[in-house]
Amino acid sequence: MTVVLKLGGSVVTDKETPETVDDDALDAAVDAIGDAALDRLVLVHGGGSFGHYQADRHGVSLSVGSHDAPGVWAIHDAMRRLNDVIVERLQAAGVPALPVHPLSVAVRDANADLTLPLEPTRTMLAEGFVPVLHGDVVAEAEAGATIISGDELVTRLATGLSADRVGLCSTVPGVYDDDGAVIPRISGFAQVDAVLGGSESTDVTGGMAEKVRALLALDSPAQIFGPESLPAFLAGESAGTVVDGGAE
Ligand SMILES: Nc1ncnc2c1ncn2[C@@H]1O[C@H](COP(=O)(O)OP(=O)(O)OP(=O)(O)O)[C@@H](O)[C@H]1O
Ligand SMILES: C=C(C)CCOP(=O)(O)O
């Protein structure tokens, strides 16, 4: 059973304060992951107040690249430092976590199509490690370097590793409808187009709308849920909103 789980940057950082880890939220997530002790778990984390802040500052986004090496490095460095904290906390809780930095392995061509070699992640999994990837900057032909979101990594990993379960843990308990109630199941974008806004704070990768779009493109159902439902997701229960594009 292969599980791909993204810890939202909004969950593990204080998104309003640049480069600040939300220690309590991260510790709670790490405890849940440690308690679940899953066999084949791949983790991805987002940028929160680390990557998005730096990306905004240096004018780099999913579509706008940069050739400014110090700027590109500042974005990567912020993400790497957040990744360091997450890997260290996981290891301290007994989880055999190791980093996989997308900048060093992934690339986009001149059409912005992504190549993400999965061998490092696959081999780590086979050897009993828990690979921890993160939203990052990647080299892009004719554009310098652009952002890759944690959500895009999740969909690539889910497909490439034939994941059995996919979860996005965000700050909200699921995708809200017009009345603020959690929608139990989304099977097509038209169903939610009107209610899906972007993220409330600095977020260069599109917030909830892009999450739903990305998950709808998967073959298997995925779940969007809040931190309170992380133990349930890890236990194999359904949590938050199920996004099931295969049912379309
Ligand atoms: N209909 C909706 N239902 C739920 N959340 C919504 C909706 N529309 C917009 N949002 C916003 O989407 C946010 C979640 O997206 P965001 O990109 O911040 O999540 P994340 O993955 O946790 O963070 P990051 O992108 O930093 O990793 C919520 O905090 C909320 O403000
Ligand atoms: C902004 C950067 C570098 C990463 C974005 O990843 P996300 O928070 O998953 O959208």
Side-chain angles (χ1 to χ4, degrees):
M1 159 86 68
T2 301
V3 178
V4 175
L5 168 67
K6 180 188 169 194
L7 296 175
S10 327
V11 175
V12 295
T13 75
D14 173 359
K15 229 171 162 176
E16 306 310 320
T17 317
E19 306 212 353
T20 308
V21 173
D22 184 333
D23 284 313
D24 292 345
L26 177 57
D27 287 345
V30 164
D31 286 348
I33 292 164
D35 289 347
L38 297 181
D39 261 359
R40 288 174 59 85
L41 173 66
V42 181
L43 291 173
V44 177
H45 65 82
S49 62
F50 283 73
H52 291 288
Y53 170 73
Q54 290 291 350
D56 195 47
R57 213 172 137 198
H58 295 281
V60 182
S61 68
L62 293 174
S63 53
V64 180
S66 169
H67 289 89
D68 173 40
V72 170
W73 183 75
I75 301 166
H76 171 72
D77 182 53
M79 290 306 302
R80 189 192 48 71
R81 283 183 283 113
L82 177 59
N83 185 261
D84 285 352
V85 173
I86 293 175
V87 167
E88 278 163 18
R89 298 274 175 98
L90 285 162
Q91 288 195 4
V95 178
L98 287 178
V100 176
H101 301 298
L103 174 62
S104 307
V105 292
V107 67
R108 289 192 204 277
D109 67 15
N111 296 318
D113 289 334
L114 177 74
T115 300
L116 174 70
L118 291 176
E119 275 320 293
T121 301
R122 214 176 257 133
T123 307
M124 283 185 194
L125 271 180
E127 294 303 310
F129 297 112
V130 172
V132 187
L133 294 89
H134 54 85
D136 205 348
V137 264
V138 290
E140 176 169 327
E142 296 169 24
T146 50
I147 300 291
I148 180 165
S149 74
D151 298 343
E152 187 174 0
L153 292 169
V154 166
T155 55
R156 279 312 175 100
L157 291 161
T159 305
L161 301 172
S162 306
D164 301 285
R165 313 195 70 234
V166 178
L168 294 191
C169 179
S170 190
T171 38
V172 283
V175 181
Y176 295 133
D177 67 13
D178 266 341
D179 301 320
V182 171
I183 303 169
R185 178 173 287 264
I186 297 172
S187 46
F189 199 75
Q191 190 189 336
V192 288
D193 201 3
V195 296
L196 284 180
S199 179
E200 276 163 4
S201 36
T202 308
D203 192 321
V204 295
T205 53
M208 191 55 80
E210 283 318 305
K211 266 180 230 317
V212 171
R213 264 189 224 286
L215 296 183
L216 280 168
L218 293 181
D219 290 334
S220 49
Q223 298 170 63
I224 298 175
F225 51 86
E228 65 291 338
S229 297
L230 181 56
F233 171 79
L234 291 166
E237 295 161 23
S238 68
T241 299
V242 176
V243 181
D244 189 359
E248 236 182 343

